Amino acid sequence: MTHSPVSGRLAGRVWNFSAGPSALPDAVIEQARDELPNWRDSGMSVMEMSHRSTGFIDIASRAESDFRRLLNIGDDYAVLFLQGGATLQFAMAPLNLLSGKRNADYFRTGMWSEKAVTEAERLCQVNLAVDTKATGYRDLPDPDHWQLNADAAFVHYTSNETIHGVQFHNTPDVGAVPLVADMSSDILSRPVDIRRFGLIYAGAQKNMGPAGLTVVVVRRDLLGKLAPGVPSMLDYAVHDKAGSMVNTPPTLAWYLAGLVFDWVLQQGGVEEMDRRNRMKADLLYSAIDASSFYANPVAPADRSLMNIPFTIAKPELESAFLERADAEGLVNLAGHRAVGGMRASIYNAMPLEGVQMLVDFMKEFERKH
Ligand SMILES: *Cc1c(COP(=O)(O)O)cnc(C)c1O
């Protein structure tokens, strides 16, 4: 790698556009490095601490209260720090929320909601209230085209489709039926009104921390209705009661997510993240739209601010693009294997400067070809 160092950045760090696990803020990496051998004079790293120690209990509760502060979450909601990824939530959500009903509404708007639907179909009757699969997941229909079932146990949607680059810019209004959101790739990227939701879940490795941690926010009045015969480890109520310490939690990931929450607070919270994320996405989409060399397939109103897929007019140049970008320290720009092309994931930790470097590189590459 022959990229030049960038001012204010940790030495040797690249601009990492990975969709997940993805870039963490340099400041967080630096703090984790400094604290690694000896966390606050404990004489040990966080990895080596008992999860029942006062040191770790402190780390855990601070992370939870910072997360609650960031999204303005009251005591009527549980915040859980779990394992199993967003993928386990595809099953846990129906197992906990069906509460005797047999059917649920799902919005199928991209690869991730498609996976959630496939898992839910093992457990209940799925009604596709929204389905854009036939047209290749390029846009979102207006609410008057949704086919909601008033009798559904819940409505599930994926707020940001990480692979197809489609994002809901408003929280769907689904009436009194509990709304469930997979926010894996846009949680903490913007403000949300928590009270609109019954359940939110997100794998940490996109916008909150390293892999191995899943954060769940669930309205407490929905708890305690687990389907019969289901293991207690899949019961939100059990985790809530145990403070997410039914068994050994992913201590290091929880600690690192806590550092990220603190960093977001210091930057100005989710409102500031939203402002920056809009600027970053605007810069990249404008560059793509201004050129006939690059293209993004998503309807402008439904484009993701987090994951921006794009293609090159001459697909045979893709590998050259990726190689040249890599040499410039712009890495992990290959699109998901299911859709091809390129994809830039520009979560909270990606500064405007990194996106500017990418846009400059893209213009230069276009000029040369
Ligand atoms: C990455 C991702 C998932 C899968 O997350 P895991 O933690 O790997 O299970 C699910 N949904 C969305 C929207 C994602 O971006």
Side-chain angles (χ1 to χ4, degrees):
M1 188 127 348
T2 56
H3 69 281
S4 50
V6 178
S7 58
R9 297 210 67 203
L10 277 175
R13 303 262 299 163
V14 292
W15 298 113
N16 179 7
F17 294 91
S18 171
S22 44
L24 291 167
D26 276 10
V28 166
I29 296 292
E30 206 169 1
Q31 187 179 349
R33 179 197 63 193
D34 292 347
E35 293 182 341
L36 189 73
N38 181 4
W39 183 81
R40 304 214 183 143
D41 288 330
S42 63
M44 63 181 87
S45 76
V46 174
M47 285 182 282
E48 300 162 295
M49 275 179 200
S50 164
H51 58 294
R52 312 277 180 204
S53 64
T54 52
F56 188 77
I57 297 287
D58 228 50
I59 289 171
S61 56
R62 169 90 192 269
E64 180 179 333
S65 63
D66 283 351
F67 181 81
R68 283 181 180 276
R69 217 174 115 202
L70 280 167
L71 291 178
N72 201 9
I73 304 171
D75 280 341
D76 45 342
Y77 285 80
V79 173
L80 310 175
F81 292 80
L82 308 180
Q83 301 185 61
T87 303
L88 183 59
Q89 296 309 310
F90 296 165
M92 257 174 106
L95 287 170
N96 282 269
L97 299 188
L98 280 167
S99 61
K101 291 200 176 183
R102 291 218 181 90
N103 55 301
D105 283 355
Y106 274 72
F107 288 11
R108 188 162 68 174
T109 55
M111 184 85 79
W112 285 115
S113 52
E114 185 174 331
K115 286 183 194 278
V117 165
T118 303
E119 189 68 7
E121 280 171 339
R122 299 164 59 93
L123 302 164
C124 64
Q125 182 102 32
V126 170
N127 167 45
L128 293 177
V130 168
D131 187 12
T132 56
K133 184 173 180 169
T135 50
Y137 298 133
R138 285 151 184 257
D139 61 359
L140 298 168
D142 289 334
D144 36 314
H145 290 100
W146 301 352
Q147 296 185 321
L148 295 169
N149 176 357
D151 192 40
F154 60 88
V155 181
H156 179 286
Y157 83 114
T158 303
S159 55
N160 181 64
E161 291 282 1
T162 320
I163 294 171
H164 287 86
V166 173
Q167 186 176 29
F168 283 82
H169 293 293
N170 295 297
T171 303
D173 185 356
V174 298
V177 177
L179 181 61
V180 176
D182 176 357
M183 285 195 193
S184 293
S185 51
D186 65 358
I187 194 155
L188 301 184
S189 71
R190 58 181 174 184
V192 286
D193 180 359
I194 290 295
R195 288 160 306 175
R196 302 277 305 278
F197 297 88
L199 168 68
I200 293 170
Y201 61 87
Q205 72 274 20
K206 311 292 171 44
N207 210 17
M208 291 190 289
L213 173 71
T214 313
V215 177
V216 168
V217 181
V218 59
R219 217 171 69 212
R220 284 197 161 115
D221 69 344
L222 298 172
L223 299 184
K225 293 168 193 153
L226 190 75
V230 174
S232 61
M233 273 299 277
L234 300 180
D235 190 346
Y236 294 134
V238 168
H239 289 286
D240 184 24
K241 208 165 155 223
S244 303
M245 294 201 195
V246 174
N247 68 331
T248 318
T251 50
L252 187 70
W254 194 333
Y255 154 74
L256 290 166
L259 298 188
V260 172
F261 301 156
D262 191 34
W263 177 81
V264 176
L265 281 168
Q266 283 176 35
Q267 302 303 302
V270 291
E271 289 79 9
E272 176 63 14
M273 291 296 117
D274 187 36
R275 194 187 67 80
R276 293 183 194 176
N277 288 330
R278 282 172 196 282
M279 273 169 54
K280 282 148 52 185
D282 218 48
L283 179 62
L284 186 45
Y285 282 120
S286 303
I288 291 170
D289 290 345
S291 108
S292 48
F293 190 72
Y294 301 106
N296 168 279
V298 180
D302 305 317
R303 286 171 162 180
S304 170
L305 303 186
M306 299 277 98
N307 311 95
I308 303 183
F310 60 95
T311 51
I312 304 186
K314 301 176 195 159
E316 66 276 14
L317 288 175
E318 276 177 15
S319 56
F321 178 96
L322 294 170
E323 253 169 56
R324 286 297 312 139
D326 216 70
E328 299 285 328
L330 303 160
V331 311
N332 287 323
L333 284 162
H336 188 272
R337 60 191 187 281
V339 298
M342 263 70 70
R343 171 177 51 172
S345 296
I346 52 173
Y347 302 117
N348 288 351
M350 174 62 64
L352 183 64
E353 190 188 0
V355 180
Q356 186 63 60
M357 300 282 273
L358 173 60
V359 165
D360 292 347
F361 169 78
M362 287 168 70
K363 286 186 177 152
E364 179 65 9
F365 187 85
E366 177 177 359
R367 202 184 52 74
K368 281 196 188 134
H369 295 92

